[in-house]
Amino acid sequence: MAGAHTATVIWERGDDHLLNKRYSRAHVWRFDYGCEVPGSCPPSKLIPVPLAKPDAVDPGEGHLASLLACHMLFFLAFAAKDGYRVDFYVDEAEGVLGKNERGRLFMERITLRPDVTFSGETIPAADAIDQLHHEAHEQCFIANSLRSEIVFDPPPLKFV
């Protein structure tokens, strides 16, 4: 299949009992070329540290990060195509969980807060930046795969 992606999730019981629900939620996400990311559920009252690892990526964070990375990569491509030099891009987004029509938990709303710094002789106006974000959102296959409401709330423009 053209454009197929693969990922592997690995978890091992180790010395944990599992049946008493006191087992580690730590696992590994493995991607192409051996890249590994530590994963876990987020620590909570029900699943405290050390059963959950606070320094690992939880599935909600990974879900959010995949959208942010996809959007950013398309934004950078469109900015370069239009002759804009991007020096810095950071997005401190937030995903809010809610219940869907079946009463199931889902990421109901995602707010992107892309903070982009441009330099050079051609600096885009605010409407051009909005258009770059719009194009990136339209082309991002992760965004096209989600049911979440996706909102843009960028900070004021910065120029170098």
Side-chain angles (χ1 to χ4, degrees):
M1 174 191 296
H5 295 271
T6 62
T8 303
V9 172
I10 304 163
W11 176 87
E12 293 183 72
R13 182 177 58 82
D15 294 332
D16 295 336
H17 189 269
L18 186 68
L19 300 181
N20 66 4
K21 300 181 184 171
R22 296 209 38 88
Y23 58 92
S24 174
R25 275 43 170 207
H27 55 277
V28 174
W29 300 359
R30 185 174 294 153
F31 302 97
D32 297 341
Y33 307 108
C35 175
E36 291 189 350
V37 176
S40 178
C41 67
S44 67
K45 288 180 183 177
L46 294 175
I47 307 171
V49 174
L51 301 179
K53 291 186 64 171
D55 60 343
V57 178
D58 73 61
E61 293 168 329
H63 176 79
L64 187 57
S66 67
L67 171 66
L68 299 179
C70 184
H71 180 88
M72 179 200 68
L73 292 169
F74 276 105
F75 181 91
L76 294 174
F78 292 133
K81 178 180 69 78
D82 290 351
Y84 302 126
R85 184 169 65 202
V86 175
D87 289 331
F88 183 78
Y89 185 112
V90 63
D91 194 336
E92 296 179 0
E94 177 182 48
V96 176
L97 297 177
K99 299 274 180 138
N100 66 15
E101 63 280 355
R102 298 182 311 161
R104 306 283 173 108
L105 203 57
F106 85 119
M107 196 163 292
E108 171 177 68
R109 179 183 174 113
I110 297 172
T111 302
L112 280 67
R113 295 183 180 94
D115 186 358
V116 185
T117 304
F118 297 88
S119 68
E121 302 205 7
T122 307
I123 303 292
D127 61 333
I129 295 170
D130 289 345
Q131 182 60 32
L132 289 169
H133 282 299
H134 176 76
E135 289 177 38
H137 179 70
E138 289 296 311
Q139 294 302 314
C140 173
F141 63 91
I142 302 292
N144 291 329
S145 302
L146 299 178
R147 295 180 55 202
S148 308
E149 175 188 12
I150 300 172
V151 178
F152 290 89
D153 184 22
L157 298 176
K158 294 181 191 170
F159 301 101
V160 175

